[in-house]
Amino acid sequence: MKESILDGVRIVDMTSGLAGPMATRLLAESGADVIKIERPGGDPIREQHPAGFSNWNRSKRSVVIDLRTDAGRAELHALLDGADVLIHNFTPARAKDRGLDDATLREQYPNLIASSLTGFMRNHPDAEKPGYEVTVQAQTGAMDEQMGHRDGPTHLRMPLAGWTTAYLAAAGIVTRLLLRLRTGQAGPVHTSLQQGMLAAMGAFWNREEHPTEFLKAKIPLPKRQAFPAITLFECADGRWVQTLGGFMENPLVIETIAMMGEEYVFVPFQQMPTAEQKDVWMRMFLQRTSDEWLQAFWDGDVPAGLVNELGEILTDPQVVANGHIVEVTDPIWGRVQQSASPYITSPATSVQRPAPTLDEHHGARWSERVDPIRADTPAPSRPLEGLKVLDFGMFLAGPFAPAMMADMGADVIKVEAVGGDRMRFSELMFIGCQRGKRSIAIDLSKPESHDVLERLVRWADVVHHNLRMPAARSLGIDEESLRAINPDIVYCHVSSYGSKGPRADWPGYDPIAQANSGFMKAGAGEGNPPMWTRSAPMDFQTALASLVATLLAVYHRDRTGEAQFVTTSLLGAAATINSETMIRDDGSYFPVPTLDQDQRLIKPGYGIYQAADGWIAVAAISAEDVVALRKAVNAELEGSIEESIAALSVDNAVTKLAEVGIAADRVREDYQEQFFDDPDNQASELATHTEHPLYGRLDQAGAFWSFEDMGLSLDRTVPLLGQHTTEILAEIGIEEAAIGQLFEHGIAAEREIAFVPR
């Protein structure tokens, strides 16, 4: 049997909720031995979210330890003595109280990688605040960035902070394992729901000193009339279809408009239709079933997808073909179908066992292993310093992972056509996933570029892109072609529908994946029409899944000498995010929490309430918490919580709830400007800035990890088209005269840097 990527890696998991357990499940199914430490009585998620617990804690062992006792502490430290990684949810002060702070762990266990996953960034003034999805969404301003079915902030049903943080945590831990493999030195890596939420908003949270009109309008993600939100239509069968433009030229559209007796008016892609044109579109879609529209669009290579219910994606034949669903015999729920890993690696990920029963592995110890630690090189100043990455990607799902590698110190070269990345027209989103890179503009369709491509590939450790594979083959950047040049490259491909099955080469975008995921329905609120989530969440989840897969592949190559191909997809990420539910043996879906019609509450006490002077997010988790909440706000009668909070100011309500131990926070509105100007955010590098040759000061959300003994590379700005072409060509050995020829014949391009104040 082929060895798994993380064979021999031992992880002590002391986390609860979604983010930490999901991060360690990803690592467990890549071969790590994960022991889940539970408190007496067990992880509360077992009762609060049973389907989620079963999925997020799969492939682990369970041991109950009471840290209040000497025997419990001794048992924990016996496990830490042989562990490679400890991941926990303790804030810095709580970790110190338990002897699990970085300094103490470093002294006692010098080979241990310590990772905390908290609510708020550890070197931020809010570090000791309890962190829940709802309060972090509120505190970061995310709830005010979403278009809802009513005025005011919206409780995002998709747990974006949790999911993004899960991938950040897994990527940070694999990076630390890679560093330890190379240098023999361990160390901490921390992240938080706050950092995860800000990473999830990377597509539109930036600010320019000299913005263009497009940037001022946040095109194509304006807050109220984003284009994908108006290309979501109900069909004759009551199902909804998400398109993304391009459908106006489809023969069935032309035929249906004629059948309706309407005048056909062509509206170009991304041009906002008039109210009359939109009305025609809405009535047009109601003339035919969703199956009819989808077949016509798919036949015409038009991106479109069916709006699913949560869980429905798991039965998609394309999901099955790509191995994104797995059968598990759960000790409590019996035979079930659950979402699998969002990526495909070699060696492959695999389910080790179902989620454990409480204390199932009482007294568990580590199995013997060959220690993977070796010391080859001095410790770098940045985590991924020395890693060389070629980024051929476009849009969001491709380029964001290389940007995260650049944040960690990798040298990332963005290879784009002489006309530029097709996303450059959309400056807002382009800025959100391109920082830290160098840009070379080269026409790969011309034979004269082949020598440049070969030299770049020989230079690289990693190739990463999201082109459709037929396009990649035509440009000579498919895996087979590049591995013939450099057999040692790690090759990561991000697709829309996976690398197998009939839809492998189909086009797809974030709104289509959102429709498939089921969260358009779940996030809309009970009884409401489906709603598109503005922050391109499936693009970013896919990108971060590819980051984890790529780092796993680099680790595997360093450890074994074997290079590999890894892949992920929008479909894979959309299936994975359906881990809140599962398919039972009778074909039914395990029920999931629902959002109320006002898009405020998932359940009484967990959601947002309108106070006298604003909105407040409340995280009353247990039944006892809800009783305490009612008492704190004098809401003794059933159904009076809303009225009682409405009579209080936000500050007063937060104070009253804190006194009884209930986490609550103000829902920040219109917060982006304040976020970038906040000195605490700047000091922690949660808000960072660079100087851009066209935009002047460019503010972005910054540090998504804290490595403590190493910094991040946040000082390189978003590149202009071909800004580094000459520099890179010279670096890979192209002589000056040959460089001149490449420019003269239009094979290469470089934009001159000339800052023009506006």
Side-chain angles (χ1 to χ4, degrees):
M1 181 177 178
K2 198 169 186 181
E3 188 178 74
S4 298
I5 292 176
L6 295 181
D7 267 355
V9 173
R10 301 160 166 179
I11 300 175
V12 173
D13 178 5
M14 300 181 72
T15 64
S16 180
L18 186 166
M22 187 64 202
T24 53
R25 198 209 82 186
L26 292 173
L27 303 179
E29 295 187 350
S30 286
D33 184 0
V34 179
I35 293 181
K36 179 179 179 65
I37 306 298
E38 301 192 63
R39 70 186 77 171
D43 183 342
I45 300 299
R46 285 183 179 273
E47 300 296 330
Q48 296 165 3
H49 207 329
F53 181 91
S54 177
N55 207 317
W56 305 328
N57 291 284
R58 203 170 62 209
S59 297
K60 306 174 189 178
R61 297 189 280 168
S62 169
V63 174
V64 170
I65 293 180
D66 189 347
L67 294 180
R68 296 168 298 182
T69 68
D70 291 340
R73 289 188 289 272
E75 187 176 359
L76 172 62
H77 285 280
L79 288 172
L80 293 179
D81 191 48
D84 299 291
V85 179
L86 165 66
I87 180 169
H88 62 79
N89 291 138
F90 301 129
T91 65
R94 291 177 65 209
K96 188 173 180 63
D97 288 344
R98 290 161 175 78
L100 299 176
D101 57 288
D102 291 348
T104 302
L105 290 172
R106 187 182 300 113
E107 182 179 346
Q108 294 182 349
Y109 311 108
N111 289 325
L112 184 69
I113 295 164
S115 177
S116 68
L117 202 165
T118 51
F120 297 89
M121 190 177 187
R122 62 186 289 106
N123 59 337
H124 192 274
D126 291 332
E128 295 302 323
K129 290 172 65 172
Y132 296 92
E133 177 77 31
V134 66
T135 54
V136 170
Q137 284 186 18
Q139 193 264 5
T140 55
M143 289 177 167
D144 188 50
E145 291 287 351
Q146 178 59 37
M147 301 167 290
H149 288 302
R150 56 162 175 77
D151 291 335
T154 299
H155 183 177
L156 303 180
R157 174 60 183 83
M158 184 186 290
L160 279 180
W163 274 104
T164 307
T165 307
Y167 288 121
L168 291 177
I173 289 169
V174 176
T175 298
R176 269 295 186 189
L177 288 168
L178 179 63
L179 280 164
R180 196 184 65 167
L181 191 66
R182 291 177 170 181
T183 69
Q185 298 180 29
V189 55
H190 306 294
T191 190
S192 66
L193 294 176
Q194 181 187 37
Q195 289 160 286
M197 191 69 249
L198 292 166
M201 297 193 293
F204 55 88
W205 264 51
N206 49 65
R207 182 179 69 176
E208 297 74 30
E209 182 181 6
H210 304 293
T212 62
E213 292 303 312
F214 266 52
L215 284 170
K216 290 177 184 177
K218 295 183 182 290
I219 295 173
L221 294 176
K223 194 169 180 179
R224 290 297 169 195
Q225 280 295 318
F227 190 79
I230 62 171
T231 55
L232 174 61
F233 300 103
E234 186 177 12
C235 304
D237 55 355
R239 299 298 299 263
W240 289 72
V241 166
Q242 173 73 61
T243 69
L244 196 65
F247 65 86
M248 282 302 298
E249 297 172 87
N250 188 271
L252 191 63
V253 168
I254 297 171
E255 176 188 326
T256 305
I257 289 178
M259 180 187 75
M260 293 165 59
E262 300 282 353
E263 180 183 359
Y264 175 79
V265 177
F266 176 70
V267 180
F269 176 58
Q270 290 285 15
Q271 179 176 309
M272 299 299 286
T274 64
E276 292 77 14
Q277 289 165 340
K278 185 180 177 185
D279 178 67
V280 170
W281 288 357
M282 293 172 65
R283 290 188 287 111
M284 176 190 74
F285 271 86
L286 286 169
Q287 303 304 307
R288 301 184 187 275
T289 67
S290 57
D291 285 345
E292 290 178 279
W293 286 119
L294 288 172
Q295 194 60 57
F297 293 152
W298 292 344
D299 288 346
D301 203 35
V302 174
L306 183 68
V307 176
N308 284 327
E309 301 283 348
L310 273 180
E312 198 174 356
I313 189 175
L314 298 178
T315 63
D316 189 317
Q318 196 72 15
V319 168
V320 176
N322 285 277
H324 295 309
I325 184 170
V326 63
E327 183 176 295
V328 175
T329 302
D330 187 272
I332 297 174
W333 307 110
R335 192 168 62 178
V336 293
Q337 301 281 327
Q338 296 180 337
S339 61
S341 291
Y343 43 71
I344 296 171
T345 59
S346 176
T349 61
S350 63
V351 176
Q352 306 302 309
R353 57 179 63 86
T357 57
L358 181 61
D359 205 27
E360 179 180 344
H361 305 93
H362 177 78
R365 292 293 181 264
W366 306 115
S367 57
E368 292 189 11
R369 60 150 184 210
V370 176
D371 198 330
I373 301 170
R374 74 169 191 261
D376 289 340
T377 59
S381 60
R382 300 289 185 267
L384 292 181
E385 190 174 290
L387 188 71
K388 299 173 181 177
V389 181
L390 286 182
D391 172 18
F392 292 97
M394 291 188 286
F395 301 103
L396 298 179
F400 189 66
M404 295 298 94
M405 288 185 257
D407 273 9
M408 289 192 280
D411 186 356
V412 180
I413 292 178
K414 178 175 178 59
V415 184
E416 49 187 326
V418 293
D421 181 336
R422 288 166 59 193
M423 187 53 76
R424 279 191 178 270
F425 80 91
S426 174
E427 296 167 282
L428 181 79
M429 293 192 291
F430 185 85
I431 288 170
C433 54
Q434 301 294 346
R435 74 170 176 222
K437 305 176 187 179
R438 296 188 287 163
S439 170
I440 180 173
I442 195 85
D443 189 346
L444 295 178
S445 68
K446 301 290 179 62
E448 297 91 330
S449 69
H450 291 177
D451 179 53
V452 174
L453 177 61
E454 288 183 9
R455 290 170 185 262
L456 286 169
V457 173
R458 283 194 290 270
W459 168 89
D461 296 300
V462 173
V463 168
H464 191 287
H465 74 85
N466 65 329
L467 279 69
R468 288 199 257 176
M469 270 305 184
R473 283 190 285 270
S474 71
L475 294 173
I477 60 171
D478 56 296
E479 185 203 5
E480 184 180 1
S481 298
L482 298 193
R483 205 165 293 289
I485 300 167
N486 181 355
D488 295 327
I489 57 167
V490 166
Y491 188 105
C492 180
H493 181 233
V494 178
S495 66
S496 296
Y497 292 99
S499 59
K500 301 174 183 177
R503 285 185 276 165
D505 296 325
W506 282 20
Y509 300 92
D510 174 88
I512 310 302
Q514 280 194 51
N516 295 156
S517 77
F519 274 96
M520 278 189 171
K521 289 290 293 292
E526 198 167 0
N528 292 324
M531 186 185 77
W532 174 72
T533 299
R534 174 173 169 243
S535 58
M538 297 319 306
D539 271 339
F540 283 101
Q541 302 307 304
T542 305
L544 289 167
S546 80
L547 174 64
V548 176
T550 300
L551 292 171
L552 283 168
V554 173
Y555 175 84
H556 181 71
R557 187 191 62 182
D558 270 34
R559 193 166 68 91
T560 68
E562 297 175 1
Q564 61 168 284
F565 170 86
V566 297
T567 181
T568 188
S569 63
L570 291 167
L571 188 75
T576 300
I577 207 170
N578 273 254
S579 61
E580 288 192 30
T581 187
M582 53 191 177
I583 304 174
R584 293 183 281 209
D585 203 27
D586 63 0
S588 65
Y589 296 97
F590 203 95
V592 296
T594 58
L595 185 64
D596 70 355
Q597 190 168 34
D598 282 343
Q599 298 177 293
R600 297 186 303 110
L601 299 170
I602 289 178
K603 62 179 184 178
Y606 192 88
I608 59 175
Y609 293 90
Q610 190 162 19
D613 59 345
W615 290 80
I616 179 175
V618 179
I621 305 299
S622 66
E624 293 77 13
D625 288 341
V626 175
V627 171
L629 162 63
R630 288 183 176 279
K631 187 173 182 179
V633 298
N634 296 319
E636 301 292 348
L637 299 176
E638 188 72 28
S640 62
I641 296 176
E642 289 84 352
E643 294 177 10
S644 297
I645 291 180
L648 302 172
S649 69
V650 170
D651 289 344
N652 193 5
V654 169
T655 299
K656 285 178 176 291
L657 293 176
E659 289 172 353
V660 295
I662 304 297
D665 217 329
R666 176 183 291 275
V667 178
R668 285 174 160 160
E669 300 180 67
D670 297 318
Y671 180 57
Q672 186 176 152
E673 296 290 322
Q674 301 170 51
F675 170 80
F676 288 125
D677 292 332
D678 188 323
D680 292 327
N681 292 341
Q682 293 173 358
S684 63
E685 292 193 304
L686 201 55
T688 188
H689 74 276
T690 55
E691 291 297 323
H692 192 275
L694 295 181
Y695 303 132
R697 180 184 170 112
L698 173 58
D699 293 306
Q700 293 180 276
F704 301 136
W705 298 273
S706 302
F707 284 86
E708 303 301 306
D709 58 336
M710 289 181 288
L712 297 174
S713 296
L714 302 173
D715 56 349
R716 188 189 287 272
T717 196
V718 175
L720 300 175
L721 173 60
Q723 181 176 341
H724 308 94
T725 298
T726 298
E727 171 189 313
I728 293 168
L729 291 173
E731 188 177 310
I732 61 176
I734 306 292
E735 295 182 355
E736 186 176 349
I739 292 173
Q741 289 289 310
L742 291 170
F743 281 115
E744 183 178 340
H745 293 100
I747 307 302
E750 185 168 67
R751 180 170 181 176
E752 292 184 5
I753 301 174
F755 174 63
V756 181
R758 291 170 172 79

